[in-house]
Amino acid sequence: MRNIMLTIAYDGKDYHGWQYQDNAMSIQEVMTKALKKIFKKKININGCSRTDARVHANRYVANFKIENDIDCESIIRALNSVLPKDISALSACEVAEDFHARYSTFAKEYIYKVYDGKIRDPFLRDYAYFWRYRLDDKLLNEQAKDFIGVHDFKSFCASGSKITETTREVLDASVERQGNLVIFRFKARAFLYNMVRIMVGTLLYINAGQIKKGSIPSIIESKNRILAGKTVPPQGLYLNRVFYGEENESN
Amino acid sequence: MRNIMLTIAYDGKDYHGWQYQDNAMSIQEVMTKALKKIFKKKININGCSRTDARVHANRYVANFKIENDIDCESIIRALNSVLPKDISALSACEVAEDFHARYSTFAKEYIYKVYDGKIRDPFLRDYAYFWRYRLDDKLLNEQAKDFIGVHDFKSFCASGSKITETTREVLDASVERQGNLVIFRFKARAFLYNMVRIMVGTLLYINAGQIKKGSIPSIIESKNRILAGKTVPPQGLYLNRVFYGEENESN
């Protein structure tokens, strides 16, 4: 069996995330159907991460096993000829038999886009979160650094989550402006449920003065979801890159 | 009566153009409903141009008359609170009584976006035309200059059009690259039906060698639609600016 590592991009607007679901359309279901069309049989595909409904991916990694000796370029061409236009297969390569898109992950990077122009941009309604007040990207970038390190992120985990071990390592956190878009970027070994969206919500509240500057360390310390900011909506969130081994990112 | 000049932006993906239609959703219908909600009565709104189904607008100009003394800032706020998220009211101002969004136009500028990355971008499927082969933007920019001037553009008018006077003045034409996007830009006093989309299609055919370099003047001369390139699809087209008087553009 050959193990194929596949990188895709998708507009998540019309999907209920990656993971297969009985009553809603998922990226995994569409990918499985596409592989079946090409290989004429059911092929299991592993994704690097569940993503929530309406969340996007710039470079999402999956893997699947085939016996066919089709070359990787042709897999990409074949996939793009059967996939809907909101999913693109970007690259494929053959990897070691034990590679698993999810379990082999070293780290993931998410970005979150906030649009802070005076008037909402009709072209970005599904691709960024509209925040009516001008953001101080320098301040936010500085405050975001407090997330870096190994911390118990219980305050930044959706309250319904059943996970009990909430310690995670954030490798990098930054905020930068690109015109009227403010890009929040977080790289971590792993994330808790809604963690990025709560970290962004907390930074937005700090900018608005609803949460005091410099209080991220004490919010982490408190292990109390109530003290963090709101969970910002999914449409601004993008799985941006997945790293397998420190230098081995998806491309 | 006060005459209000209104500038809006819209994502045309889900609309059948500006103009009211019986059996399809138009921007004009949505704008009329929004004005009715605000002013509690039917208000006629004139647009600067019909636009085709799926065509977008960065700055589209309309005008309407009201007796109400509401200030222009409040009109914008009120409109944005009732409009769907794919239409934004950008600015409003009071203008002379005889101003008409369509008949007072001095010139219009359209842009057309072509994406020529190796693999289609799932986020641009409704916002640019995907062209599989790398474009030579320098060549295209040079060739586009042949459209400038007063010409009979019969070769660049949709063949079904009933218009008989097909002479138009193109004020500017250019092509520039922004990453994997190639932006075609045309400014003219007025355009024929599908004129921009046929001019872009002709330039793409020149790039591909299907039409000879330097032959735009002879295609114009021929007054024969068959000799020009194909009509490219609507999703790459944006009404970008409208000019009222040489310096008086929408903003």
Side-chain angles (χ1 to χ4, degrees):
Chain A
M1 294 287 267
R2 298 163 67 211
N3 191 6
I4 307 295
M5 172 182 170
L6 174 71
T7 305
I8 63 174
Y10 58 80
D11 175 342
K13 174 168 80 74
D14 296 326
Y15 294 96
H16 286 253
W18 166 266
Q19 190 95 347
Y20 181 83
Q21 285 177 46
D22 270 344
N23 302 308
M25 189 50 72
S26 65
I27 305 289
Q28 190 176 29
E29 180 173 346
V30 175
M31 291 305 301
T32 304
K33 280 183 182 159
L35 291 172
K36 189 166 185 184
K37 262 193 202 156
I38 296 169
F39 295 107
K40 314 294 177 204
K41 63 177 195 176
K42 176 152 202 285
I43 289 170
N44 288 319
I45 180 163
N46 306 309
C48 61
S49 162
R50 291 164 177 250
T51 52
D52 279 346
R54 299 180 63 200
V55 170
H56 312 292
N58 289 327
R59 275 162 291 181
Y60 184 99
V61 178
N63 77 295
F64 57 88
K65 299 193 174 179
I66 50 171
E67 276 162 2
N68 198 305
D69 63 358
I70 179 174
D71 66 283
C72 287
E73 280 279 314
S74 302
I75 292 175
I76 293 302
R77 252 199 314 276
L79 277 172
N80 285 326
S81 74
V82 298
L83 283 170
K85 286 188 176 170
D86 49 11
I87 306 178
S88 286
L90 302 180
S91 64
C93 61
E94 200 169 334
V95 287
E97 215 186 320
D98 63 350
F99 173 86
H100 186 288
R102 182 165 176 198
Y103 302 123
S104 308
T105 304
F106 170 73
K108 277 179 239 165
E109 181 182 271
Y110 280 92
I111 60 173
Y112 192 93
K113 298 185 184 179
V114 176
Y115 182 82
D116 70 347
K118 266 181 74 178
I119 288 173
R120 64 172 188 245
D121 183 328
F123 298 102
L124 294 178
R125 68 195 186 288
D126 293 312
Y127 306 108
Y129 177 42
F130 175 47
W131 184 257
R132 206 170 291 272
Y133 307 98
R134 196 71 176 175
L135 293 172
D136 181 347
D137 46 293
K138 300 273 182 306
L139 167 75
L140 292 174
N141 183 54
E142 197 185 286
Q143 297 288 306
K145 303 303 178 198
D146 285 338
F147 287 119
I148 298 175
V150 178
H151 303 292
D152 184 338
F153 282 99
K154 191 158 192 276
S155 304
F156 297 89
C157 181
S159 49
S161 171
K162 282 170 198 136
I163 282 176
T164 50
E165 175 42 55
T166 47
T167 296
R168 293 292 183 274
E169 182 177 3
V170 172
L171 300 166
D172 204 1
S174 63
V175 180
E176 68 167 336
R177 175 175 295 281
Q178 292 174 4
N180 282 332
L181 279 176
V182 178
I183 315 289
F184 296 72
R185 190 180 299 267
F186 297 96
K187 180 178 175 183
R189 297 293 310 270
F191 290 91
L192 296 167
Y193 188 52
N194 279 354
M195 182 168 155
V196 174
R197 290 163 56 187
I198 301 169
M199 292 194 293
V200 172
T202 303
L203 288 167
L204 292 179
Y205 275 16
I206 288 175
N207 194 99
Q210 289 165 275
I211 290 179
K212 250 177 48 191
K213 259 184 269 186
S215 60
I216 288 172
S218 64
I219 297 172
I220 292 174
E221 191 76 21
S222 74
K223 298 176 197 171
N224 185 351
R225 170 70 187 88
I226 292 292
L227 298 183
K230 71 167 179 177
T231 306
V232 289
Q235 73 270 16
L237 188 60
Y238 296 70
L239 177 58
N240 196 46
R241 291 192 203 178
V242 190
F243 298 83
Y244 295 96
E246 279 174 67
E247 315 234 347
N248 224 342
E249 66 179 84
S250 63
N251 52 38
Chain B
M1 293 287 269
R2 298 164 67 211
N3 191 7
I4 307 295
M5 172 181 170
L6 174 71
T7 305
I8 64 173
Y10 58 81
D11 176 342
K13 173 168 81 72
D14 296 325
Y15 294 96
H16 287 253
W18 165 266
Q19 189 96 346
Y20 181 83
Q21 286 177 47
D22 270 345
N23 300 307
M25 188 52 70
S26 64
I27 305 289
Q28 190 176 28
E29 180 173 347
V30 175
M31 292 306 300
T32 306
K33 280 183 182 158
L35 291 173
K36 189 168 184 182
K37 262 192 202 155
I38 295 169
F39 296 108
K40 315 295 175 203
K41 62 176 196 175
K42 177 154 200 284
I43 289 171
N44 289 319
I45 181 165
N46 306 308
C48 60
S49 161
R50 291 163 177 249
T51 53
D52 278 347
R54 299 179 63 199
V55 170
H56 313 291
N58 289 327
R59 275 162 291 182
Y60 184 99
V61 178
N63 78 293
F64 57 89
K65 297 192 175 180
I66 50 171
E67 275 160 4
N68 198 306
D69 64 358
I70 179 173
D71 66 283
C72 288
E73 279 279 315
S74 303
I75 292 175
I76 293 301
R77 253 199 313 276
L79 276 172
N80 285 325
S81 74
V82 298
L83 283 170
K85 288 189 174 167
D86 48 12
I87 306 177
S88 287
L90 302 180
S91 64
C93 61
E94 201 169 332
V95 288
E97 214 187 319
D98 64 348
F99 173 87
H100 186 289
R102 184 165 174 199
Y103 303 123
S104 308
T105 303
F106 170 74
K108 279 179 236 163
E109 181 183 270
Y110 280 92
I111 60 173
Y112 192 92
K113 298 186 182 177
V114 175
Y115 182 83
D116 70 346
K118 265 181 74 178
I119 289 173
R120 64 172 187 245
D121 183 327
F123 298 102
L124 293 179
R125 68 194 186 289
D126 293 312
Y127 306 108
Y129 177 42
F130 175 47
W131 185 256
R132 205 171 291 274
Y133 307 99
R134 196 71 175 173
L135 293 173
D136 180 346
D137 45 294
K138 300 272 183 306
L139 167 74
L140 292 175
N141 183 54
E142 197 184 285
Q143 297 288 305
K145 302 304 178 198
D146 285 338
F147 288 119
I148 298 175
V150 179
H151 303 292
D152 183 338
F153 283 99
K154 191 158 193 274
S155 304
F156 298 89
C157 180
S159 49
S161 172
K162 284 170 198 138
I163 282 177
T164 50
E165 176 41 57
T166 48
T167 296
R168 293 293 182 272
E169 182 178 3
V170 173
L171 300 166
D172 204 3
S174 64
V175 180
E176 68 166 337
R177 176 176 293 283
Q178 292 173 4
N180 283 332
L181 279 176
V182 177
I183 315 290
F184 296 72
R185 189 181 301 267
F186 297 96
K187 181 178 174 183
R189 297 292 310 268
F191 291 92
L192 296 166
Y193 188 52
N194 280 353
M195 181 168 156
V196 174
R197 290 162 58 187
I198 300 170
M199 290 194 294
V200 173
T202 303
L203 288 167
L204 292 178
Y205 275 16
I206 288 174
N207 194 100
Q210 289 164 276
I211 291 179
K212 249 177 50 190
K213 260 184 269 185
S215 60
I216 287 171
S218 65
I219 297 172
I220 292 174
E221 191 77 21
S222 75
K223 297 176 198 171
N224 184 352
R225 169 71 188 87
I226 292 294
L227 298 182
K230 71 167 178 176
T231 306
V232 290
Q235 74 270 15
L237 189 61
Y238 297 69
L239 177 57
N240 196 47
R241 291 191 203 178
V242 190
F243 299 81
Y244 294 97
E246 279 175 66
E247 315 235 345
N248 224 341
E249 67 178 84
S250 64
N251 51 37

